[in-house]
Every structure is written in C-alpha cells, then in structure tokens.
Amino acid sequence: MLRSDEDGVSVAPVLAGLVDEYGRLLRQSRRLVTMGDRMQQSLNALNHDLAVSEQKYRGIFENVAEGICRCDADGMLVEANPAMAEMFGFYDSESFLEAVPDFQSLFCRAEDYELYETLLAADQLRRFQVRLCSPESGRLWAEVSASVMDDREAFPGGIVCVLADVTERKHMIEEMRRLARTDSLTGLYNRGHFMELTERELARSRRTRSPLSMLIVDVDHFKNVNDTYGHDVGDKALVTLSRVLRDAVREIDVVGRFGGEEFVVLLPDADRRNACRVADRILECVREARIDIGGKQVGVTVSIGLTACEDDEEDLDRLIKYADIALYAAKKNGRDRVEVYRRSGCHCRREADCMEAMAVRGES
C-alpha cells in the first residue's frame, strides 16, 4: 500500500508517471534498435552490392581485350590493366607502369599528343586513331577513347583511357587499298589508279604551266613469246619489263600497266626533249634485260609512243590518243623504237602512218 509523504501527499501519481515515462523510453529504444538493425541490413546489402560491382569491374578490367588505364590530372599513369601492358609488350601491369610513367611517353610524335589533349579538353576524344610507341614492342596503331573525371571526389581531375590495338586492321585496310590500285602481276599501278593520278598531274600542269609528257610502251611480238615459251614465260617478261620501267624513270614519274602487254608512263615536269631521253633509256634497258627460261636467256624489245602536253586545253583522253597514234607508228616503222606525236604536224617517221593510225590500231 502506497503511503503519503510527510505533507500528506500521495506518491502514487508520481510513480505512475515514472512508469509511463520508462515505458515510452523502452518503446523508443526498441524502435531505435529496430532502425539500427534495418540500417545495418541496408549497409550490409550496400556493401555486398559494392563488392559485387567491384568484382564485376575487376573482372572486366582484368580480362577485357582492350587496354584500360587511369591517369592523374598531370597525365601520370596510376593504373593499367593486363591487356594494356601486353599491348605494349610487357609481361604484367607493374612492369609496364615502371617503364612507362606517363601517358605522353607512349606517343611517337609530339603533335599527336597535342591533338589528343585538344580533343580531350573538348570532350571529343572518341576512337582517335594514332601511332603509339613502346620501348618493348615498337610501334603500333591504336584507337583511343578517353574522358576526364572532374566530378569524382575520389579521383578529381583524373583521366580514364581505353585503347584498342588496330594495327592488324590498319594493315589490312592498307593492303586492300594497295590491291585496289595496283596490278596483281607486276605491282605497278592499274589502269584506273593511273588515270586518277594523271588527272591530278594534268591539273597541276595547267595551274603551274609546267611541262608534262606521256609514254605508251608495248612489248613487240608478245603473242609469239606466249606461243613459243608459254604464258608463264610471258608473265615473267611482263614482270621483268615492269622492273625495268621502274628503274629507268624518276621517283616522281608514274608507271602503270594499261592491260595485256601495254604499259604507260607519265613524266611530270618533263618536256618532249627530256621525255625522249627517258624513252631512249627505256629502250636500251629493255634490250639488255634477259628472262631466264630453264637456263636459256631470252630477250624482248618494246615500241614506244610519246606525246607531250602542249596547251591548257589538253586532257587525258587526248594525251592517250596521241601517244597511242605514235605507238602505232613505231610498230609500223619496224618496232624497237620511239615515235613522237606533235600537234603542229605529225613528226612520226612517216606522216601516212600517223594518219592511218588515227583510225586503225595495228597488232602487236
């Protein structure tokens, strides 16, 4: 039985208030414990998700075929994956980072790195193809994509780069381009690419008023070579002739195979007189060349038609036509010779031959 205090006041209400307050504190404690448990569960789940994400990131970082690296704001390499190290000829990432401290040192040319920085600053560095160098693997072509991580507190001002080795692809594309513009047998320019280059030189000749000449070279009696020795020997003869032509002209001259046994040579900055010297040199070199046929040495000769660009109205079709007329005259006049076509009057050996050649081409 609860008693009253000395003043006769009952303590029961006070005790009841304390009990109620204790109950409220107990309930709040339980709620706090429950909230703490839930927060711990959420934290555990978040840590698990982070661990899974880290595991996925590491799995990609370590096993992806592309090279991945991180740099600090000064361009110093902080991290590189195994693919990046292997790309540049290193056994592991640690040895790569020791040998290559900064990203700039991978660039072969300073101007390429300047362009890289410009594109990176403009946030336009996507699939940037550039030649890179390595102290271990030499040079390679890489496709670089990169971005700046300015908004990351954990890595302020850092750069993440992804590199793909496209050396093989680059070489394949170059080989396809080469095959598209060269003759498969002789390695000279094919007809289409020769015509394209000649159009450019003609435009330059008109612009600078510089001389330009053209030769059409045809193997004499080539059908007899094929019939007597076989087409494989005929191919050898064409390959030999293509080598002679390349060796007899300058680096700036353009040599192409027009088809069959017919070749064409464009001589930029060469007037008629200089072109005649080149044609005479070709004749002599071809006469001296020999084709080995089972120990037997066989020679061939060629006929050459020559024309020079004489006015601003000259075009490719006319050059080919006039050189072709001169070639026909060379065939008619005994072969193994050069004939020259001039607009101001035919200067082939016989004018009748030139007039006839306007309408008819003779056989080789």
Side-chain angles (χ1 to χ4, degrees):
M1 180 176 179
L2 295 177
R3 298 180 180 178
S4 300
D5 58 12
E6 295 178 355
D7 296 330
V9 179
S10 175
V11 297
V14 177
L15 182 59
L18 291 175
V19 170
D20 291 341
E21 186 65 25
Y22 175 77
R24 284 194 299 270
L25 290 174
L26 184 60
R27 288 192 296 272
Q28 290 177 358
S29 298
R30 289 173 178 173
R31 284 196 295 270
L32 289 174
V33 170
T34 302
M35 290 175 60
D37 291 341
R38 290 175 180 173
M39 290 180 62
Q40 185 61 48
Q41 291 174 1
S42 298
L43 184 59
N44 291 340
L46 181 59
N47 288 333
H48 178 266
D49 292 342
L50 288 174
V52 171
S53 297
E54 174 69 15
Q55 187 177 5
K56 289 180 180 179
Y57 163 75
R58 279 294 158 190
I60 295 173
F61 186 80
E62 299 290 339
N63 300 303
V64 71
E66 288 76 14
I68 303 175
C69 66
R70 293 194 305 162
C71 306
D72 62 18
D74 297 323
M76 303 301 292
L77 285 167
V78 177
E79 186 178 20
N81 70 341
M84 180 103 173
E86 184 179 354
M87 185 182 300
F88 290 95
F90 291 88
Y91 179 74
D92 54 30
S93 301
E94 289 73 17
S95 57
F96 170 73
L97 292 174
E98 289 178 3
V100 186
D102 60 89
F103 195 61
Q104 181 177 0
S105 61
L106 293 175
F107 285 74
C108 302
R109 304 190 310 166
E111 52 265 37
D112 288 337
Y113 185 74
E114 291 175 2
L115 179 56
Y116 157 84
E117 288 189 311
T118 301
L119 294 173
L120 182 64
D123 195 25
Q124 295 179 352
L125 194 61
R126 302 290 183 275
R127 299 182 179 277
F128 170 51
Q129 287 196 4
V130 64
R131 196 76 177 269
L132 299 180
C133 298
S134 166
E136 294 294 325
S137 63
R139 299 189 174 191
L140 60 88
W141 279 98
E143 197 173 70
V144 182
S145 299
S147 59
V148 179
M149 303 175 65
D150 284 329
D151 58 342
R152 302 294 180 89
E153 294 183 1
F155 199 59
I159 303 165
V160 173
C161 299
V162 179
L163 286 75
D165 187 347
V166 295
T167 305
E168 185 175 347
R169 186 200 312 170
K170 195 82 172 178
H171 289 167
M172 187 180 302
I173 292 173
E174 288 299 322
E175 179 64 12
M176 291 174 64
R177 288 175 179 169
R178 186 191 69 79
L179 292 174
R181 62 177 180 249
T182 58
D183 173 64
S184 59
L185 175 64
T186 63
L188 299 176
Y189 292 129
N190 58 26
R191 185 187 185 102
H193 193 59
F194 177 85
M195 303 281 270
E196 180 183 339
L197 295 176
T198 302
E199 290 284 12
R200 295 179 192 173
E201 287 298 331
L202 268 172
R204 188 184 68 85
S205 176
R206 296 189 198 101
R207 186 175 64 254
T208 62
R209 297 187 177 278
S210 56
L212 181 75
S213 298
M214 177 182 287
L215 311 177
I216 293 184
V217 182
D218 192 89
V219 183
D220 295 328
H221 303 295
F222 187 69
K223 185 176 184 300
N224 292 340
V225 175
N226 280 332
D227 292 344
T228 303
Y229 302 106
H231 288 278
D232 56 335
V233 175
D235 288 346
K236 281 186 179 181
L238 296 178
V239 171
T240 300
L241 178 57
S242 67
R243 187 190 70 247
V244 170
L245 290 174
R246 279 194 297 258
D247 294 342
V249 301
R250 305 163 299 175
E251 288 187 5
I252 66 170
D253 298 330
V254 183
V255 184
R257 184 185 180 192
F258 242 33
E261 67 274 20
E262 194 170 79
F263 298 81
V264 64
V265 182
L266 185 71
L267 304 171
D269 301 320
D271 57 18
R272 185 186 299 109
R273 184 182 298 274
N274 288 325
C276 284
R277 294 194 184 100
V278 175
D280 288 337
R281 184 164 64 247
I282 290 174
L283 285 178
E284 290 298 325
C285 292
V286 173
R287 290 172 189 147
E288 295 173 0
R290 289 294 178 266
I291 306 162
D292 183 74
I293 308 174
K296 181 180 179 180
Q297 303 297 312
V298 177
V300 296
T301 61
V302 296
S303 299
I304 302 176
L306 185 155
T307 189
C309 185
E310 295 186 353
D311 58 61
D312 292 340
E313 301 300 322
E314 208 75 86
D315 59 25
L316 179 56
D317 290 338
R318 287 185 184 181
L319 278 178
I320 294 173
K321 175 184 176 181
Y322 296 150
D324 206 41
I325 291 170
L327 174 64
Y328 180 77
K331 293 287 187 182
K332 292 287 288 185
N333 293 333
R335 297 182 171 85
D336 190 22
R337 62 186 297 111
V338 181
E339 291 288 355
V340 181
Y341 184 94
R342 298 184 186 179
R343 319 305 186 275
S344 57
C346 184
H347 288 256
C348 302
R349 182 171 292 270
R350 290 200 302 269
E351 185 172 350
D353 289 337
C354 289
M355 296 304 293
E356 180 184 359
M358 288 282 195
V360 182
R361 269 298 305 272
E363 294 182 356
S364 298

